[in-house]
Amino acid sequence: MANSEYRLLVINPGSTSTKIGIFDNERGVFEKTIRHNSEEINTYENIIDQYEFRKNVILETLDQEGFNISKLDAVVGRGGLLRPIVGGTYSVNDQMLEDLRNGFSGEHASNLGGIIAFEIASQLNIPSFIVDPVVVDELQPVARLSGVPEIERKSIFHALNQKAVARRVSKQLNQRYEDLRLIVTHMGGGITVGVHENGRVIDVNNGLHGEGPFSPERAGTVPVGDLVSMCFSGHYYADEIMKKLVGQAGFVGYLGTNDAVKVEKMIKEGNEKAELVYEAMAYQVAKEIGAASAVLSGRVDAIILTGGLAYGKEFVEKITERVKWIADVIVHPGENELQALAEGGLRVLRNEEDAKEYPNSPIVEKVI
Ligand SMILES: Nc1ncnc2c1ncn2[C@@H]1O[C@H](COP(=O)(O)OP(=O)(O)OP(=O)(O)O)[C@@H](O)[C@H]1O
Ligand SMILES: CCCC(=O)O
């Protein structure tokens, strides 16, 4: 007979934090956000080098909280920069581990999710999974063209939280996610604005590799001619430029912190530069939402603001002021990622869904 109660450890490494949870079936019995300040994580050359540090923090936290990990039935991690794949729950396998370690589509904190989940689970002889990784790709063909034939736009975004929150809001609206047209704005260490049309994310900015608004850590879109000049100035190696765009831009670049709460404090203390940067970030988010509304020809059922920055009342107000003419703005601060990871793992443990085998699921066709 199938086990009726499963205990899962879920692990969500973000750019500025590691979030963990213990779930008994759908019920969260423990959740913790372990924050990492930029000085702490910038001591590592590459994100993958943070593996030991983040794994130890997780195990120490569970130990301090009195959880016996031998009672776990599965470990589920957030999936990272793999090959483009359809959404769903995937078993962690050798090919996936290799792609996560090598950063097949680049470096990202979520690459650590599957690796740490596998490492902890294999010691306990239990399964490990990832769910809706950041490379979930449902872009419509017209959204794939960049304007430069050699460069195709990619779908890299906060898929797990965007989909989970979109489903939650749909339920609140007494509608099916598959019937709605939503703009979901995830605002964390990175910021992505997804156009959700009838359950598919048909367009989204690649917040990681230089599209959309700047964020606490990311550059977003930058003037490309100036970027080319910077790349060939002789002052930087390629990986230094990448780090500058991905981890040392936005708030970190202008103000030396990835923490919006600190920025708000600076503003209260009269720091005018902090005020301008904060205002500019809200302005750029609003502009991206405006662009997303054009993708939906202005027929938008709701705009959703989510992620850690959505706790910032003034930040939310600044965006809302500029976009409320498009549709109602619904604010879901934080994220639903831990719950969504647990639910994805449970569906497989309960045999409601087969775990997908990476990378054998249909991979998106090249358009041109
Ligand atoms: N109460 C709050 N008020 C304002 N900003 C907040 C608050 N709590 C967290 N934040 C900000 O949210 C940002 C982090 O958001 P979040 O935790 O969603 O990011 P992450 O999970 O590390 O990265 P990502 O979401 O990009 O994967 C930080 O800048 C943090 O300071
Ligand atoms: C999840 C990809 C986007 C980002 O981290 O900025």
Side-chain angles (χ1 to χ4, degrees), residues 287-328:
K287 217 167 132 180
E288 192 71 22
I289 292 172
S293 76
V295 173
L296 292 173
S297 307
R299 289 187 292 120
V300 182
D301 292 307
I303 295 166
I304 301 170
L305 303 182
T306 182
L309 291 169
Y311 285 113
K313 210 166 153 276
E314 277 187 40
F315 191 65
V316 164
E317 275 169 15
K318 283 176 190 295
I319 298 167
T320 305
E321 203 43 53
R322 283 200 159 95
V323 302
K324 63 183 181 201
W325 59 274
I326 299 170
D328 286 346

Side-chain angles (χ1 to χ4, degrees), residues 185 187 214 251 260 263-264 267-268 271-290 303 305 309-326 329 331:
T185 307
M187 308 181 297
F214 73 75
F251 278 175
V263 175
E264 286 169 0
I267 296 170
K268 279 205 185 81
N271 184 328
E272 288 178 10
K273 182 178 175 191
E275 192 170 358
L276 178 67
V277 173
Y278 190 78
E279 179 75 40
M281 195 162 88
Y283 167 87
Q284 292 200 358
V285 172
K287 217 167 132 180
E288 192 71 22
I289 292 172
I303 295 166
L305 303 182
L309 291 169
Y311 285 113
K313 210 166 153 276
E314 277 187 40
F315 191 65
V316 164
E317 275 169 15
K318 283 176 190 295
I319 298 167
T320 305
E321 203 43 53
R322 283 200 159 95
V323 302
K324 63 183 181 201
W325 59 274
I326 299 170
V329 177
V331 185

Side-chain angles (χ1 to χ4, degrees), residues 76-89:
V76 190
R78 185 181 178 204
L81 288 174
L82 297 159
R83 297 155 204 256
I85 46 177
V86 294
T89 302

Side-chain angles (χ1 to χ4, degrees), residues 61-339:
T61 305
L62 292 174
D63 190 45
Q64 280 159 12
E65 295 293 332
F67 287 104
N68 177 351
I69 60 168
S70 70
K71 302 275 184 245
L72 295 172
D73 295 292
V75 187
V76 190
R78 185 181 178 204
L81 288 174
L82 297 159
R83 297 155 204 256
I85 46 177
V86 294
T89 302
Y90 288 78
S91 296
V92 181
N93 63 18
D94 288 345
Q95 178 71 64
M96 182 185 291
L97 288 170
E98 191 182 321
D99 285 351
L100 290 172
R101 288 193 186 110
N102 296 334
F104 183 86
S105 300
E107 273 209 289
H108 194 262
S110 60
N111 288 358
L112 296 165
I115 302 174
I116 298 175
F118 175 82
E119 198 60 34
I120 295 175
S122 59
Q123 308 251 320
L124 302 169
N125 261 323
I126 55 174
S128 53
F129 306 108
I130 61 152
V131 183
D132 283 340
V134 294
V135 287
V136 164
D137 186 337
E138 299 167 346
L139 294 185
Q140 57 181 347
V142 74
R144 294 186 188 279
L145 276 65
S146 72
V148 178
E150 294 85 348
I151 301 175
E152 191 170 301
R153 293 191 62 233
K154 293 195 186 82
S155 183
I156 298 180
F157 73 113
H158 301 87
L160 183 65
N161 188 46
Q162 285 210 16
K163 291 228 169 218
V165 174
R167 283 185 193 283
R168 197 153 113 187
V169 168
S170 306
K171 219 179 230 172
Q172 281 168 6
L173 298 174
N174 283 323
Q175 306 243 30
R176 279 168 15 106
Y177 171 52
E178 290 74 16
D179 294 334
L180 287 175
R181 298 158 71 85
L182 303 167
I183 296 174
V184 185
T185 307
H186 177 104
M187 308 181 297
I191 298 180
T192 56
V193 181
V195 182
H196 296 234
E197 184 184 52
N198 307 121
R200 292 177 71 79
V201 184
I202 59 169
D203 203 347
V204 62
N205 66 299
N206 176 345
L208 187 63
H209 294 147
E211 280 186 341
F214 73 75
S215 75
E217 299 201 327
R218 317 264 189 255
T221 307
V222 292
V224 73
D226 294 330
L227 180 63
V228 171
S229 302
M230 187 187 250
C231 291
F232 290 95
S233 64
H235 295 306
Y236 303 100
Y237 290 110
D239 62 333
E240 289 175 318
I241 295 274
M242 208 60 184
K243 257 195 172 165
K244 205 175 193 22
L245 298 175
V246 173
Q248 292 166 1
F251 278 175
V252 177
Y254 288 117
L255 303 169
T257 178
N258 59 16
D259 185 347
V261 178
K262 278 196 189 148
V263 175
E264 286 169 0
K265 190 160 169 276
M266 288 174 177
I267 296 170
K268 279 205 185 81
E269 288 165 359
N271 184 328
E272 288 178 10
K273 182 178 175 191
E275 192 170 358
L276 178 67
V277 173
Y278 190 78
E279 179 75 40
M281 195 162 88
Y283 167 87
Q284 292 200 358
V285 172
K287 217 167 132 180
E288 192 71 22
I289 292 172
S293 76
V295 173
L296 292 173
S297 307
R299 289 187 292 120
V300 182
D301 292 307
I303 295 166
I304 301 170
L305 303 182
T306 182
L309 291 169
Y311 285 113
K313 210 166 153 276
E314 277 187 40
F315 191 65
V316 164
E317 275 169 15
K318 283 176 190 295
I319 298 167
T320 305
E321 203 43 53
R322 283 200 159 95
V323 302
K324 63 183 181 201
W325 59 274
I326 299 170
D328 286 346
V329 177
I330 299 173
V331 185
H332 265 272
E335 81 291 291
N336 245 7
E337 290 175 345
L338 294 180
Q339 184 80 35

